Amino acid sequence: MQGDFQSDNVAGIHPAIMAALAAANHGTATPYGLDDSARALNDRFSAFFGAAVTVFPVSTGTAANTFALSACLRPYAGAFCHEGAHLRLSEGNSLAAAGGGAALIGLPGALGRIDPAALREAVAQAPRGNTQKPQPAAVTVTQATERGTVYSLDALAAIGACAKENGLLFHMDGARFANAQAWLGCSAPAMTSGIGLDLLSFGATKNGVMSTDALVVFRPELVEPVAFTLRRAGQTWSKMRFAAAQLQAYVAGDLHLALARRANALAARLGEGLSRLPGGALLAPVEANIVFATLPPAMIDALQAQGFSFYRRGAGEVRLVCRFDQPEAEISALLAAAGAA
C-alpha cells in the first residue's frame, strides 16, 4: 500500500500510551473503577476541563454518544443535531435502540455545522406537548464535524445559550476533539465548560490511544443515570486502571494536542496540494485532519490502482483522513502520483 488515508482509526498506538499501560500492569487493583485509578482520572480531567467532571471510560465513540443521550433522555424525546451528523447517519440508529425510541432531529447548516439561527427557529417551532412528535430535550454538536470543519467558540456559545434558555441538554460528539482544539488554539475549558456543555463524548482512539474513549459528565445530577445505563450496557470496565492509564497519559503534557497538530498539518499540506492539481478543488476548508476534494475520475482511478487507500464518493469526490503517525512520505507520494496521473 502506497498510503493509507481511509481513516485515523487505522493508526497505531503512541509509545506514551503503551508505556502508561506497562506502568499500570503491576500488582492488583480493585475492579470496576473502585480503586484509586477512577478517582485520579476524575481529578485529572476536572483540572483539564476547568470544572468538576465525572469520567466514564467506554469502548467506542458510538458507545459514548449513544449512552450519553439515552441515559438522559426519555423514550419520546428528541435531540437536535446536524442533518449529516455521524450519530444520525452512521451509528446504526443506536440512540433509538438504546433510548427506547428517542429520536435525532436533523437540522441544516453549511459544512457540517448546525446554524445557531436554525436551531433557535427549530426550538421555537418545536411541537411541545404534541404526543405525535418527539419532544425536544437536547442538542448535540460534532466537533470537529463530519466535513472536517470546526465550530467557532462563538458558534458553540450561541448553541449552548439556546440550549440553556430552552431547557435542553447540550452534548458534544468530540470524536476528534483534539483536532478541533488544535485548530482553534484554545483551552479545553473554552470548548466545554466555557460554553455550558453538559455531556461530552471525548475521543482518543483516533489519535494515539489503544482502546478507550470517554463519556465526560459535567452536570452532577446526570452522573447517576449515566452510571446505571453504562453498567446495564456492559460498558463498565472491569480492569478500569488500564483505561484510566491510557486517558491520563493522553492528556498529560498536552500529548493529545501535539498528535492532533501533526495530523492537522499533514491534512493541510495534502489539501493545499490537491487543490492545485488540474481539475482539483476542495469541497470544504481543511480545519482538522480530513480532506474532502473533487478530482478527475481518471486521477482517482489511477491513485487507487497504485495502492492509495481512501474513500470515494460518487464519480469524483474523495475523502482522505490524515493521522498522527502518518509518514510525510505518504503525503508526498500521493501528491506526486496525482500530479503524474
Side-chain angles (χ1 to χ4, degrees):
M1 184 180 293
Q2 290 263 35
D4 195 340
F5 297 88
Q6 297 176 83
S7 170
D8 34 14
N9 285 319
V10 307
I13 313 306
H14 190 272
I17 305 301
M18 288 294 197
L21 284 166
N25 193 32
H26 296 283
T28 64
T30 305
Y32 299 108
L34 298 178
D35 63 324
D36 290 341
S37 65
R39 178 185 55 78
L41 183 61
N42 288 339
D43 290 346
R44 178 68 187 89
F45 271 65
S46 292
F48 179 69
F49 289 115
V53 299
T54 301
V55 183
F56 295 92
V58 293
S59 60
T60 65
T62 294
N65 288 336
T66 299
F67 299 118
L69 293 173
S70 66
C72 303
L73 300 183
R74 295 183 178 184
Y76 52 82
F80 295 109
C81 66
H82 189 270
E83 58 193 2
H86 190 274
L87 74 168
R88 181 169 181 259
L89 300 181
S90 302
E91 294 187 352
N93 208 21
S94 58
L95 175 60
L104 290 163
I105 305 168
L107 296 178
L111 300 173
R113 294 179 285 228
I114 294 173
D115 183 343
L119 173 64
R120 286 197 173 275
E121 181 179 357
V123 171
Q125 296 180 358
R128 295 185 185 274
N130 183 343
T131 59
Q132 300 179 66
K133 305 291 184 181
Q135 296 300 287
V139 58
T140 175
V141 296
T142 308
Q143 180 77 325
T145 74
E146 284 298 288
R147 297 298 283 180
T149 56
V150 174
Y151 284 90
S152 70
L153 293 180
D154 286 344
L156 291 173
I159 292 170
C162 180
K164 184 175 181 179
E165 291 164 12
N166 292 280
L168 305 178
L169 289 174
F170 188 15
H171 168 259
M172 178 183 289
D173 175 357
R176 294 184 175 90
F177 183 97
N179 302 94
Q181 186 188 352
W183 169 260
L184 291 174
C186 69
S187 67
M191 207 164 71
T192 54
S193 56
I195 59 164
L197 204 64
D198 298 314
L199 298 158
L200 168 67
S201 299
F202 182 71
T205 56
K206 295 179 185 296
N207 195 37
V209 168
M210 183 177 77
S211 60
T212 185
D213 292 321
L215 197 173
V216 183
V217 182
F218 288 79
R219 282 175 55 178
E221 66 269 27
L222 301 181
V223 171
E224 181 177 299
V226 168
F228 277 87
T229 298
L230 289 175
R231 191 67 183 90
R232 292 179 66 197
Q235 285 289 330
T236 301
W237 291 66
S238 59
K239 296 185 177 181
M240 187 73 78
R241 57 174 161 161
F242 297 108
Q246 292 178 69
L247 291 169
Q248 291 223 54
Y250 182 57
V251 299
D254 284 339
L255 174 65
H256 71 298
L257 279 179
L259 302 184
R261 287 186 184 117
R262 185 171 190 277
N264 287 6
L266 292 174
R269 181 188 164 204
L270 178 61
E272 181 184 8
L274 293 178
S275 70
R276 289 190 278 104
L277 293 172
L282 295 180
L283 293 170
V286 181
E287 296 177 350
N289 63 319
I290 307 176
V291 178
F292 284 92
T294 55
L295 298 172
M299 182 184 294
I300 299 174
D301 292 340
L303 290 172
Q304 292 184 324
Q306 292 178 60
F308 293 98
S309 180
F310 51 83
Y311 283 113
R312 180 175 188 168
R313 301 184 177 189
E317 180 179 337
V318 295
R319 187 196 80 157
L320 304 102
V321 185
C322 295
R323 61 190 193 274
F324 79 92
D325 60 353
Q326 192 155 30
E328 287 270 359
E330 288 192 11
I331 310 296
S332 300
L334 187 144
L335 292 175

